[in-house]
Amino acid sequence: MDKRIDKIQNLFNERNCITWVDTYPDSQSPDELKRFEWFSKNTKLNLSKSSFFEIGVGSGTFYEFVKRKGIKEYLGSEPNKQMVERFEKYFPNQSEFIKENDALSVLKESNKKFDCIHISHVLEHLERDYFIDLFEAMVEKLNIDGEIWISTPCAETIIASAQRYYDMTHRTSFVFENFVNLAQLYNLQVIAKSGKLIAIENFKDIVRFTHEIILYWLNRILFAFAIGTRKKCGVFSSEISVILKK
């Protein structure tokens, strides 16, 4: 991605107080904790006996989650050098689990297959052609009965549309049917789907929640007869989570 876009987005984030939380992954956000809890309840895998590949490691919150489950094997890809350095800060002497490269290159170079491939809030940053190449590689590197767990903004609501466009690094939007179609095309099963409910912790979240309720009902009123109102990701959802099984 063009580094100029990153710089522009960083300026926007600074003005609007949107920052990376620089804390140890133990301090996972309520959104992340809900997401991990949902996956634990819906996966068919025995997590302690499963191997994982993560696309977009970030600061290692998912790695921390699966490590606590006693995972058999983990490998992650992260093209952002800053994020790799952050991971190494939180998990000293464990950098061998991370490849500082794009996911497609790492998957193609690997001679291993995995029980679970996890990709959270990365797809929306990818060009569509690259995403299809990456998805095919994900399916190819997945063991039989393995699972692909995807989380990405839900484009079926005004809420998610706002999230889609305030971030200039977002390239692509998704609705639940996109993953149904992908599952059908690549002979996968959709075994679980959900929308992430909005987490409320303080007064600012209450204001945000009220605002998003108004936007939601405005969306329903204005587009009551439009295809886009066939909501598949929850009434107040801002993201889709889906598990696809091979």
Side-chain angles (χ1 to χ4, degrees):
M1 181 177 292
D2 192 326
K3 292 187 183 299
R4 292 172 297 178
I5 298 294
D6 282 335
K7 289 179 180 177
I8 294 168
Q9 187 59 38
N10 287 338
L11 289 172
F12 175 88
N13 293 347
E14 287 170 13
R15 284 201 192 92
N16 292 274
C17 301
I18 301 170
T19 59
W20 290 99
V21 179
D22 195 11
T23 57
Y24 187 74
D26 266 348
S27 307
Q28 290 164 343
S29 72
D31 287 345
E32 287 174 319
L33 292 174
K34 279 188 176 184
R35 197 179 291 133
F36 296 156
E37 181 183 348
W38 177 84
F39 176 69
S40 297
K41 287 180 179 177
N42 288 281
T43 180
K44 306 300 182 187
L45 298 171
N46 181 334
L47 298 183
S48 64
K49 296 182 179 178
S50 299
S51 56
F52 290 82
F53 182 78
E54 182 177 20
I55 298 171
V57 169
S59 58
T61 53
F62 182 70
Y63 173 70
E64 174 69 10
F65 164 72
V66 293
K67 195 172 77 160
R68 288 178 178 176
K69 299 290 184 182
I71 55 167
K72 181 179 75 174
E73 184 181 354
Y74 173 92
L75 180 65
S77 67
E78 177 55 70
N80 187 320
K81 186 175 179 62
Q82 254 185 327
M83 285 295 155
V84 173
E85 290 172 354
R86 185 167 298 193
F87 179 92
E88 290 171 345
K89 171 187 170 184
Y90 295 141
F91 303 101
N93 306 316
Q94 298 182 58
S95 57
E96 71 268 20
F97 298 117
I98 302 299
K99 301 292 185 184
E100 189 182 333
N101 205 342
D102 72 285
L104 183 57
S105 299
V106 175
L107 282 172
K108 284 185 173 180
E109 291 168 5
S110 175
N111 56 6
K112 297 178 180 177
K113 290 196 173 187
F114 301 90
D115 299 311
C116 180
I117 297 177
H118 172 241
I119 180 166
S120 178
H121 287 264
V122 172
L123 294 186
E124 63 271 19
H125 298 275
L126 306 178
E127 297 287 0
R128 290 179 185 176
D129 289 346
Y130 179 89
F131 161 66
I132 294 299
D133 289 340
L134 176 61
F135 192 82
E136 288 182 349
M138 290 161 65
V139 174
E140 182 184 340
K141 294 296 184 177
L142 199 63
N143 285 324
I144 299 298
D145 293 327
E147 297 175 0
I148 297 173
W149 176 28
I150 297 169
S151 296
T152 189
C154 170
E156 292 185 83
T157 67
I158 290 178
I159 297 168
S161 293
Q163 291 180 340
R164 159 73 171 87
Y165 290 109
Y166 77 60
D167 190 336
M168 289 183 68
T169 67
H170 287 178
R171 306 287 184 92
T172 310
S173 300
F174 295 90
V175 297
F176 175 68
E177 280 83 358
N178 295 144
F179 300 109
V180 172
N181 295 337
L182 281 168
Q184 184 176 350
L185 188 61
Y186 292 97
N187 298 313
L188 305 172
Q189 293 176 274
V190 179
I191 62 170
K193 67 180 180 68
S194 176
K196 180 195 72 182
L197 295 181
I198 298 163
I200 296 179
E201 290 189 291
N202 52 44
F203 179 72
K204 185 185 288 187
D205 287 333
I206 293 173
V207 172
R208 177 169 63 101
F209 183 60
T210 304
H211 178 244
E212 292 182 348
I213 289 175
I214 293 169
L215 285 178
Y216 167 76
W217 286 110
L218 182 62
N219 182 36
R220 294 299 298 271
I221 291 168
L222 292 177
F223 303 103
F225 302 104
I227 293 175
T229 59
R230 293 181 300 142
K231 297 186 57 52
K232 296 291 193 297
C233 53
V235 175
F236 302 119
S237 297
S238 57
E239 80 171 26
I240 302 165
S241 269
V242 61
I243 301 174
L244 308 176
K245 181 180 177 182
K246 191 170 183 179

